[in-house]
Amino acid sequence: MPATAAPNNDARLPRHVAIIMDGNGRWAEQRGKFRVSGHKAGVKSVRAAVTFGYKLGLDALTLFAFSSENWRRPEEEVSALMSLFIAVLGSEVRKLHHNNIRLRIIGDRSAFAPHLQRKINDAERLTANNTGLTLNIAANYGGRWDITQAARLLAEQVAGGELKAEDITEEQLDKHIQMAELAPVDLLIRTGGEQRISNFLLWQLAYAEFYFTPVLWPDFGEDAFSEAIAAFVSRERRFGCTGAQIRELLAQKA
Ligand code: IPE
Ligand code: IPE
Ligand code: MG
């Protein structure tokens, strides 16, 4: 069994949780408000999720904030989301740093305005040596982009004579995929009721458990997060083995 696919720890809690934060627009529409007010309300849930992830002792929490396809939305919604992103970075980074949280942005940041890129770099630099939870915010992220950029880096190594094409392995590609240095994603949560990945982490979800909830993101608080964790704990992860093999392995570890 490869090292990345071992049952994670004795407590059977996830180490790395990823969340597709969906349903902000519908939350607002249900209240007769503009979609952007749903995005604003969603920031509260982001804070709650980070606090809960921290309390839970997660190694990493990865939140999907803006997909590479979200540029297709009306211009005013995209610009409202960008402004919100900048405002939240400005107001939250010190608090994150104070709480020993390391902030990382995953995604193609080259598409962002230069001042946003600077803010991102500053926030990452400030929190780089923190040893608590790693909080990854996926912004202009696409799972296909992620795999493509990793393939491009390997191709450059081959072209430069540092690597032979026949030596390309899963491990080599994995090294260049976002979050390679972190624990694998154990649990993917999607709020808002849709049951799809929407081009979020593709490579990284190979053995993740999926949990879908109809709760809209602005309503997703500690109780809803706890239910997702409880569902995860009750599942048996087999990683290609039989159930009996996994139970034997766990009995040996206990
Ligand atoms: C998710 O909520 C947030 C982003 C994609 C930025 P949506 O805006 O997709 O909300 P719904 O799905 O329209 O309700
Ligand atoms: C996925 O949600 C992206 C984020 C939550 C940031 P979408 O609402 O954009 O996904 P689709 O369009 O329903 O697949
Ligand atoms: Mg949506």
Side-chain angles (χ1 to χ4, degrees):
M1 222 193 283
T4 52
N8 58 50
N9 57 22
D10 292 339
R12 309 213 198 153
L13 283 174
R15 291 172 63 199
H16 188 168
V17 175
I19 308 181
I20 302 178
M21 309 185 289
D22 197 19
N24 294 348
R26 278 164 286 164
W27 184 91
E29 281 156 15
Q30 282 171 6
R31 286 162 178 75
K33 295 182 177 174
F34 292 115
R35 294 177 56 85
V36 63
S37 71
H39 298 313
K40 285 186 182 152
V43 175
K44 192 172 40 66
S45 298
V46 172
R47 282 195 204 102
V50 174
T51 305
F52 187 65
Y54 187 80
K55 278 201 275 186
L56 212 59
L58 293 181
D59 290 348
L61 177 66
T62 300
L63 304 176
F64 202 9
F66 191 87
S67 77
S68 44
E69 289 73 34
N70 286 147
W71 297 105
R72 295 177 188 155
R73 294 191 176 199
E75 206 182 304
E76 64 270 21
E77 183 169 343
V78 171
S79 78
L81 281 166
M82 290 299 144
S83 306
L84 193 61
F85 192 27
I86 293 170
V88 171
L89 267 183
S91 65
E92 304 292 314
V93 168
R94 294 210 163 271
K95 273 186 260 171
L96 295 176
H97 186 46
H98 184 69
N99 286 305
N100 197 24
I101 293 172
R102 180 163 69 133
L103 179 70
R104 303 279 296 277
I105 306 298
I106 60 166
D108 182 3
R109 59 183 75 184
S110 68
F112 294 132
H115 68 290
L116 179 51
Q117 290 190 41
R118 259 197 312 279
K119 269 194 183 291
I120 290 173
N121 294 340
D122 290 349
E124 287 184 333
R125 211 171 302 125
L126 177 71
T127 62
N129 297 321
N130 291 344
T131 53
L133 175 78
T134 296
L135 173 62
N136 304 293
I137 303 291
N140 192 24
Y141 179 86
R144 288 180 173 179
W145 163 83
D146 196 351
I147 296 169
T148 305
Q149 61 84 31
R152 189 181 304 122
L153 288 167
L154 287 185
E156 280 167 11
Q157 288 181 14
V158 172
E162 299 155 53
L163 181 70
K164 288 197 204 119
E166 61 264 35
D167 290 338
I168 293 177
T169 57
E170 286 183 19
E171 287 71 25
Q172 291 279 350
L173 189 73
D174 186 71
K175 277 187 204 156
H176 300 289
I177 295 278
Q178 307 283 298
M179 314 193 293
E181 76 289 5
L182 299 177
V185 177
D186 298 305
L187 171 64
L188 171 81
I189 299 170
R190 181 170 186 146
T191 63
E194 312 296 351
Q195 303 195 356
R196 53 180 175 250
I197 303 187
S198 299
N199 197 20
F200 193 29
L201 311 164
L202 296 176
W203 180 273
Q204 297 90 334
L205 294 181
Y207 270 104
E209 294 292 325
F210 285 44
Y211 179 86
F212 299 104
T213 170
V215 174
L216 303 174
W217 179 250
D219 294 326
F220 189 85
E222 195 167 312
D223 288 352
F225 202 161
S226 304
E227 276 177 38
I229 300 294
F232 174 86
V233 169
S234 71
R235 293 185 193 176
E236 182 179 80
R237 304 180 78 195
R238 301 199 190 97
F239 304 100
C241 304
T242 65
Q245 284 174 302
I246 291 296
R247 284 188 289 275
E248 197 180 314
L249 203 69
L250 289 170
Q252 283 164 13
K253 285 180 88 186

